[in-house]
Amino acid sequence: MQVKKDVLKIVGPKLPKGLECLSTFDQRIEDEDQIANIELVDCIIERQVAEKVSFKHVVFRNVTFSDVSFDSADIEDVLFENCDLSNSFFRGSILNRVQMINCKLVGANFTDTSFINVEISRSNGQYASFRFSHCKRFRILDSIMPYVDFQSVDFNEMFFEKTELQGGQFSGTKLNGIDFSTCDITNIGVGLEEIRGASVSSLQAVGLSGLLGISIKDAF
């Protein structure tokens, strides 16, 4: 019998009832603006550059972010569902109680960002960057994230399940206590000290044997 591993519990977005629903968004966002208590559906947010924007109690559903940069943003109690955030910039931001479901995050930049109670599920995060970030109660489920950058990240209660991480960069990141056994970690960039204490499958252990400077041969 296969034993299902425990899924890290997080606190999801706390969204009030009766959010104002909008299908267009033509507001020019400026530095330190506050976007709150709305649900954006089937629209495009494009050519927006602003810092220290506050997004609180917001639902983004079927929204495309095109040519946007929201560095140092405060994103709290926010749901992204079926959204495209590819190549968007959120460097130096704080995400608290945020869910990203079935989203496209290809090349998205979350460098030096704090993640608290965050879930990414059924999403494509190929080439996304989380470098130098701090992750506390952060889980990634059923996602495709080859060549993702988790270099020099502080993991505190981090959880991966059924996620493709092949070619991902984990150098400088302590992986003690992280369970990769259901994930694809082929050719990840990691050192022996960094992978120490992580949980992997027997097949993954063979793939990581090169860190020990050994080769494994079958005996006949």
Side-chain angles (χ1 to χ4, degrees), residues 11-133:
V11 180
K14 297 180 179 180
L15 295 167
K17 296 181 180 179
L19 295 176
E20 180 184 6
C21 188
L22 303 174
S23 59
T24 60
F25 188 85
D26 53 10
Q27 174 182 341
R28 173 54 56 184
I29 301 176
E30 305 290 346
D31 292 352
E32 302 186 13
D33 273 357
Q34 296 185 1
I35 311 298
N37 300 311
I38 60 172
E39 179 177 357
L40 291 173
V41 181
D42 300 325
C43 64
I44 299 176
I45 298 176
E46 59 183 340
R47 293 188 292 276
Q48 299 271 11
V49 178
E51 295 186 0
K52 300 181 179 179
V53 178
S54 173
F55 297 93
K56 292 190 177 182
H57 301 138
V58 179
V59 173
F60 296 101
R61 185 169 283 118
N62 302 320
V63 174
T64 296
F65 293 77
S66 177
D67 191 20
V68 302
S69 177
F70 295 125
D71 290 342
S72 302
D74 182 6
I75 305 173
E76 184 173 311
D77 293 316
V78 173
L79 170 65
F80 297 87
E81 186 173 5
N82 303 323
C83 293
D84 188 348
L85 296 94
S86 297
N87 300 311
S88 299
F89 289 88
F90 294 90
R91 295 168 296 196
S93 296
I94 298 174
L95 277 68
N96 185 20
R97 296 190 298 274
V98 172
Q99 282 186 294
M100 299 180 179
I101 303 172
N102 196 33
C103 289
K104 190 174 181 182
L105 306 169
V106 177
N109 194 321
F110 294 96
T111 298
D112 197 26
T113 289
S114 293
F115 296 88
I116 308 166
N117 285 306
V118 173
E119 176 186 283
I120 296 174
S121 62
R122 303 194 307 276
S123 296
N124 183 349
Q126 184 174 17
Y127 296 110
S129 177
F130 299 87
R131 182 178 293 201
F132 309 129
S133 291

Side-chain angles (χ1 to χ4, degrees), residues 125-150:
Q126 184 174 17
Y127 296 110
S129 177
F130 299 87
R131 182 178 293 201
F132 309 129
S133 291
H134 302 272
C135 304
K136 184 174 183 179
R137 293 189 297 279
F138 185 10
R139 66 188 187 191
I140 299 177
L141 314 172
D142 301 300
S143 293
I144 301 170
M145 306 189 80
Y147 308 106
V148 66
D149 189 350
F150 279 109

